[in-house]
Amino acid sequence: MEKTKTASESLTIMTNIVLPNETNSLRNLFGGELLAKMDRCASISAARHCERRVVTASVNHVSFDKPIPEGGIVVLESKVSRAFSTSMEIYVDVWLDDPINQKKVHTNSGIYTFVAVDEFNRPIPIPKMTPETEEEIQRFEAALRRKELSLILSGRMKAADSVELRKLFGS
Ligand SMILES: CC(C)(COP(=O)(O)OP(=O)(O)OC[C@H]1O[C@@H](n2cnc3c(N)ncnc32)[C@H](O)[C@@H]1OP(=O)(O)O)[C@@H](O)C(=O)NCCC(=O)NCCS
């Protein structure tokens, strides 16, 4: 029987404090530093899901909604949102944790595509993923649309061949 895993099996949480050498001129976490942390976190989720070596194929979307100040405690949480044949989408949520005032603020999120590869770096099939929570189901359902968009933007798919985007835009 084909192996299926849950999203929570790939859950990865990374907690760090923002140090001065990671900040921009406004003394907030530098965007590139955050991207590197998100990529690391997402790659661990991808490897946990497929139990293989993985590579980043695409960064589909990243938002920087709120700044993360020097000294801030930054928490990254990532999970597989959908598994396709050899690729999987990983959703990364970033939080600013304030233990003194007992507040946790969502600062941004990112959506990545990773591909499982064999010893020759060739794509290899991965287990399916079954979403469980309402949020996991919503992200799972939208993931095919995002995959098609990413493939179109990278020139790997013609817009006319997309199924989900044509449904969305009614053409
Ligand atoms: C990612 C990589 C393995 C894909 O190899 P490929 O021979 O082009 O393989 P395929 O065309 O069969 O694509 C493999 C899967 O990736 C998906 N994919 C590839 N590019 C994608 C993109 N830009 N967006 C979304 N999905 C993408 C394909 O749809 C396919 O998914 P599926 O099998 O689940 O349907 C290859 O391009 C690679 O090794 N890239 C470099 C990765 C790397 O070094 N990353 C670190 C960056 S520093």
Side-chain angles (χ1 to χ4, degrees):
M1 200 174 71
E2 200 180 4
K3 193 171 177 183
T4 296
K5 296 176 85 171
T6 60
S8 57
E9 286 177 85
S10 65
L11 175 66
T12 302
I13 302 176
M14 286 176 29
T15 306
N16 279 280
I17 190 158
V18 177
L19 297 176
N21 66 333
E22 298 173 312
T23 61
N24 59 22
S25 54
L26 300 172
R27 300 182 71 188
N28 292 319
L29 179 59
F30 180 57
E33 292 285 346
L34 184 55
L35 287 176
K37 290 183 202 303
M38 292 168 80
D39 198 14
R40 278 197 196 103
C41 195
S43 74
I44 296 168
S45 285
R48 283 180 172 163
H49 178 78
C50 65
E51 298 163 21
R52 291 278 180 180
R53 288 193 311 136
V54 295
V55 292
T56 315
S58 166
V59 181
N60 303 337
H61 175 77
V62 180
S63 65
F64 295 104
D65 304 325
K66 294 193 174 72
I68 302 173
E70 183 183 317
I73 296 171
V74 56
V75 181
L76 292 89
E77 291 184 18
S78 62
K79 277 191 282 191
V80 171
S81 40
R82 184 157 177 170
F84 297 99
S85 302
T86 64
S87 69
M88 64 214 107
E89 183 189 84
I90 318 287
Y91 224 102
V92 188
D93 285 298
V94 184
W95 306 82
L96 175 61
D97 185 24
D98 177 355
I100 296 166
N101 296 301
Q102 293 173 20
K103 276 193 200 148
K104 202 175 165 195
V105 177
H106 189 262
T107 59
N108 67 296
S109 54
I111 306 172
Y112 288 70
T113 300
F114 280 78
V115 176
V117 292
D118 65 13
E119 61 270 40
F120 305 107
N121 294 337
R122 288 180 310 216
I124 185 166
I126 58 172
K128 295 279 165 244
M129 198 283 283
T130 308
E132 294 177 307
T133 67
E134 199 158 309
E135 183 183 66
E136 287 168 6
I137 292 167
Q138 275 174 12
R139 290 178 172 184
F140 180 95
E141 285 173 353
L144 181 55
R145 191 157 70 224
R146 289 190 288 266
K147 176 177 160 84
E148 287 188 348
L149 185 59
S150 176
L151 291 173
I152 291 167
L153 291 175
S154 63
R156 287 170 168 262
M157 178 187 255
K158 292 194 184 107
D161 294 336
S162 87
V163 176
E164 291 296 309
L165 291 179
R166 287 176 63 204
K167 258 193 240 164
L168 190 67
F169 294 111
S171 59

